[in-house]
Amino acid sequence: MVVSRFTNRFFITLIVVTNTIGNILLGEGMQRMPDFQRTSALAYVAQLITNWYVVGGTALLIIWMIAQLSMFTWADLSYVLPVTASAYILTALLSKYFLGERISIARWIGIVIISFGVVLVAETPEDTKHRKAGAQ
Amino acid sequence: MRWLWLAISVTAGTFGDLFTAKGMSEHGIEDFGLRGVRLVLRHIGTHPLVLLGIAFDAISFFSLLALLSVSEISFAVPASASSYIVKTALAGSYLGERVTARRWLGAVCVTAGVVLLSF
C-alpha cells in the first residue's frame, strides 16, 4: 500500500491534534467531576455523560484511535510512534499559551530534542515491510 | 506499588501496539472515501489480533490511571516513555520492520525529550 505524501502528513496531523486536544479536554473534564467515593455510581455516570469536556475528549480520542489504526495499514510502528510524539510538544505549547504554565529551560531542551527525533524519523520511508527487498 | 502499575502499563501498551500494528498491516486500504472508512472500521471490528491489541491498550490505559493515582505525573510520564525503546526493538524483531540507525536515534531522542519535559 502506497499513500500520497499529503495523505501521510494529513494522518500524522490528525493523530497529533486529536490526541493532544482529547487528552486536555478529558483532563479538564475529570477535574470538574465530584469525588468518586462520595457519589453514588449512578449519579457519577450521569454526571460523566453530561459533562461536555468528558464527552468531547472521549469523541476526539475515539477519532485518534481509528486514525492511528488506519495509519498502521500502510506505515511502520517504528515510524508512527516517534513521529506522532510531536503530541508532547503541542501539549507543552498549548499549556503555555492557554493555561499559562511556565516552560523551564529543561522543558525547552526536551521540546527541541523531541522535534529533532520527529524530523529524523519523518525523513525515513514510512513503510519498510510491504515493499520487496531491493525495491528502495 | 508504582513500579507494578508501571510494568503492567508498559507491557500491556507494548502488546497493544504490536498486535494492532500487525493486524492492521494485513488490511489494504483502497480509498479514503466513505467506502474506505467502512472497510477499515469493519477490519478493526472483526480482526482477532486487532481486537486483542485494543483490549491490551485498554488495560494499559487503566493501569496508567492507577499509576497516576499512586504517583506523581513527573514520575509516570517519563517512566512510561521507556516504552518507546521496547516497542522500537520489538517492531524490528516481531513485526519485521527495518529499524535503521536513524529510527533508533529518533526513538532515543523522543524518550530523552519526554523525560526532560517532566522537569
Side-chain angles (χ1 to χ4, degrees), chain A residues 58-75:
Chain A
T58 308
L60 283 177
L61 289 177
I62 290 173
I63 298 175
W64 163 69
M65 185 94 195
I66 294 172
Q68 173 153 304
L69 288 172
S70 305
M71 197 166 173
F72 284 153
T73 63
W74 73 83

Side-chain angles (χ1 to χ4, degrees), chain B residues 1 4 22 42 49 62 82 86 93 103 111:
Chain B
M1 202 56 186
L4 177 69
K22 178 128 183 139
R42 196 169 68 195
L49 209 50
F62 288 111
S82 57
V86 184
S93 56
R103 279 201 181 163
T111 310

Side-chain angles (χ1 to χ4, degrees), chain A residues 30, chain B residues 9 59-70:
Chain A
M30 293 312 286
Chain B
S9 177
I59 295 173
S60 172
F61 176 74
F62 288 111
S63 38
L64 181 66
L65 290 187
L67 174 63
L68 283 170
S69 72
V70 296

Side-chain angles (χ1 to χ4, degrees), chain A residues 57-120:
Chain A
T58 308
L60 283 177
L61 289 177
I62 290 173
I63 298 175
W64 163 69
M65 185 94 195
I66 294 172
Q68 173 153 304
L69 288 172
S70 305
M71 197 166 173
F72 284 153
T73 63
W74 73 83
D76 289 354
L77 181 64
S78 58
Y79 174 87
V80 175
L81 288 182
V83 168
T84 54
S86 23
Y88 285 104
I89 302 172
L90 189 58
T91 305
L93 295 180
L94 287 179
S95 0
K96 176 178 162 62
Y97 292 109
F98 289 98
L99 306 175
E101 283 181 19
R102 237 190 100 251
I103 299 189
S104 64
I105 299 287
R107 296 186 82 188
W108 278 119
I109 297 174
I111 290 174
V112 171
I113 294 180
I114 295 176
S115 314
F116 181 65
V118 169
V119 173
L120 264 186

Side-chain angles (χ1 to χ4, degrees), chain B residues 37-47:
Chain B
V37 172
R38 209 171 58 228
L39 288 176
V40 166
L41 289 178
R42 196 169 68 195
H43 186 82
I44 294 172
T46 55
H47 197 288

